[in-house]
């Protein structure tokens, strides 16, 4: 009787153990499907853009220099004042007598750093008269992009997140010490929304790869010396080896066995291997 009870007990334990292991075995055999996001492969010319920075200054600025050094007995203007030609600016008492300083042209007073009673030399400007209605941006370019600029051409300049049109005034025919060419372009500033000293940005084409395959840069993976992407082929991921031609932050020109419209995986690819099961989900899912 004891043997019978013992055998029944052992059988019960085995049945319980088997029942506990069944889901685990089923989980082991369950197929893993990876959710992924994709983007379409493109073809065409791949253009590499180069951002060029330039400094904005007045086109016309006139320094006011006194003929003889002396004491400033009268100062009629201050920084920011608008003046007209022949306006009285200051009076200087020197050993040669009293000098009256007049504005040689219209403009705005700038760089005035003295007061009445101060001594003024004839070596440094007393002040500047600047024309802020018309400004210029000066920038340098490499020989590879020089031919994209021509005198009197209209170019777009990005200033403080706004595009402003400028006209090319002059292009140096000889490079500077760094091998670059100076270009100056004129900006209309009648509404005074541009301030001298600001920085402007010009976008130029640096390189062009003609008739190539283009994929999002984020799709590209590297392992040892190999570069590759995954594309969706049915319900699996297919690994495609690629050769990188040129790259930018968002897109890359490549050589590969791909065609326009192929779905390249841009998110979820880091856990994949060739022929992994995948499910394409919407962006952000």
């Amino acid at each position: 009787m004891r043997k019978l009870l013992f055998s029944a007990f052992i059988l019960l334990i085995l049945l319980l153990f088997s029942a506990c292991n069944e889901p685990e075995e089923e989980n082991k055999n369950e197929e893993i499907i990876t959710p992924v996001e994709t983007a379409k492969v493109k073809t065409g010319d791949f253009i590499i853009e180069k951002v060029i920075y330039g400094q904005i200054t007045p086109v016309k600025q006139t320094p006011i220099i006194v003929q003889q050094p002396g004491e400033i007995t009268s100062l009629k203007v201050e920084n920011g004042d608008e003046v007209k030609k022949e306006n009285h600016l200051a009076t200087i008492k020197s050993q040669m007598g009293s000098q009256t300083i007049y504005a040689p042209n219209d403009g705005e007073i700038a760089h005035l750093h003295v007061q009445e009673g101060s001594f003024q030399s004839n070596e440094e400007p007393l002040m500047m008269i600047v024309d802020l209605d018309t400004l210029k941006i000066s920038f340098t370019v490499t020989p590879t992009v020089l031919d994209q600029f021509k005198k009197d051409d209209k170019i777009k300049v990005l200033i403080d997140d706004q595009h402003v049109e400028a006209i090319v005034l002059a292009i140096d025919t000889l490079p500077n010490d760094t091998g670059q060419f100076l270009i100056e372009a004129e900006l209309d500033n009648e509404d005074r929304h541009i301030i001298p000293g600001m920085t402007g940005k010009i976008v130029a084409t640096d390189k062009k790869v003609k008739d190539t395959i283009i994929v999002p840069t984020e799709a590209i993976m590297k392992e040892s010396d190999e570069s590759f992407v995954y594309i969706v082929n049915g319900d699996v991921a297919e690994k495609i080896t690629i050769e990188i031609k040129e790259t930018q932050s968002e897109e890359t020109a490549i050589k590969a066995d791909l065609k326009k419209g192929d779905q390249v995986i841009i998110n979820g690819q880091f856990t994949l291997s060739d022929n992994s099961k995948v499910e394409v989900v919407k962006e952000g899912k």
Side-chain angles (χ1 to χ4, degrees):
M1 183 66 178
R2 287 183 180 178
K3 288 183 178 180
L4 183 61
L5 288 172
F6 182 76
S7 298
F9 178 74
I10 293 298
L11 181 61
L12 179 61
I13 293 296
L14 290 173
L15 287 172
L16 288 172
F17 182 77
S18 176
C20 288
N21 279 291
E22 274 183 14
E24 190 175 323
E25 292 297 327
E26 288 177 6
N27 287 336
K28 284 182 180 178
N29 294 328
E30 188 177 320
E31 224 170 16
I32 296 174
I33 301 177
T34 304
V36 296
E37 295 178 23
T38 64
K40 288 184 179 180
V41 172
K42 299 191 295 184
T43 58
D45 293 342
F46 183 75
I47 297 173
I48 299 177
E49 294 180 334
K50 182 177 185 179
V51 177
I52 303 165
Y53 294 88
Q55 194 72 24
I56 296 171
T57 58
V59 169
K60 187 176 182 181
Q61 43 189 351
T62 307
I64 306 301
I65 299 177
V66 301
Q67 293 179 350
Q68 296 293 330
E71 180 188 351
I72 301 171
T73 57
S74 175
L75 194 59
K76 301 295 185 181
V77 294
E78 59 184 30
N79 284 317
D81 283 353
E82 294 280 349
V83 296
K84 297 292 184 181
K85 185 177 180 179
E86 301 300 335
N87 279 175
H88 183 191
L89 304 178
T91 302
I92 307 292
K93 182 181 179 181
S94 69
Q95 292 182 347
M96 303 295 292
S98 182
Q99 301 176 58
T100 303
I101 311 300
Y102 296 100
N105 50 264
D106 298 353
E108 183 175 310
I109 300 299
H111 296 301
L112 175 60
H113 305 299
V114 295
Q115 298 175 343
E116 289 183 357
S118 300
F119 179 83
Q120 178 63 36
S121 74
N122 59 349
E123 296 178 356
E124 296 292 331
L126 172 63
M127 65 187 79
M128 301 283 287
I129 297 179
V130 297
D131 178 11
L132 298 181
D133 289 339
T134 308
L135 303 177
K136 68 178 178 180
I137 180 168
S138 304
F139 56 98
T140 56
V141 300
T142 60
T144 57
V145 300
L146 180 63
D147 60 354
Q148 295 178 43
F149 299 93
K150 297 287 186 293
K151 192 176 183 301
D152 298 326
D153 276 358
K154 293 180 180 179
I155 60 174
K156 285 186 178 180
V157 182
L158 183 64
I159 305 171
D160 199 19
D161 296 328
Q162 291 187 346
H163 280 101
V164 180
E165 191 175 85
I167 299 175
V168 177
L169 291 176
I171 302 173
D172 267 2
T173 54
L174 294 175
N176 58 21
D177 294 340
T178 63
Q180 298 195 343
F181 294 81
L182 176 67
I183 297 177
E184 294 181 332
E186 185 177 277
L187 301 159
D188 179 57
N189 193 39
E190 286 187 1
D191 56 4
R192 300 294 180 89
H193 68 287
I194 306 172
I195 301 172
M198 296 177 76
T199 299
K201 294 192 291 187
I202 300 100
V203 178
T205 300
D206 192 25
K207 290 181 183 178
K208 182 187 285 188
V209 182
K210 293 185 177 181
D211 193 21
T212 188
I213 297 169
I214 304 169
V215 298
T217 301
E218 61 186 325
I220 298 173
M221 299 184 67
K222 292 187 178 181
E223 193 174 280
S224 300
D225 295 330
E226 181 187 38
S227 297
F228 58 92
V229 297
Y230 285 105
I231 64 168
V232 176
N233 188 356
D235 60 353
V236 299
E238 182 181 349
K239 182 179 177 181
I240 304 292
T241 302
I242 66 169
E243 177 187 333
I244 296 175
K245 291 183 176 180
E246 294 288 348
T247 187
Q248 292 195 107
S249 57
E250 294 186 3
E251 291 185 324
T252 297
I254 65 171
K255 181 179 180 181
D257 187 17
L258 293 171
K259 62 182 184 296
K260 182 179 179 180
D262 282 344
Q263 294 289 328
V264 63
I265 297 175
I266 60 172
N267 196 1
Q269 71 269 40
F270 292 100
T271 60
L272 298 177
S273 58
D274 200 18
N275 292 319
S276 293
K277 287 278 188 177
V278 294
E279 178 188 0
V280 177
V281 297
K282 293 181 180 179
E283 185 178 353
K285 295 296 182 74

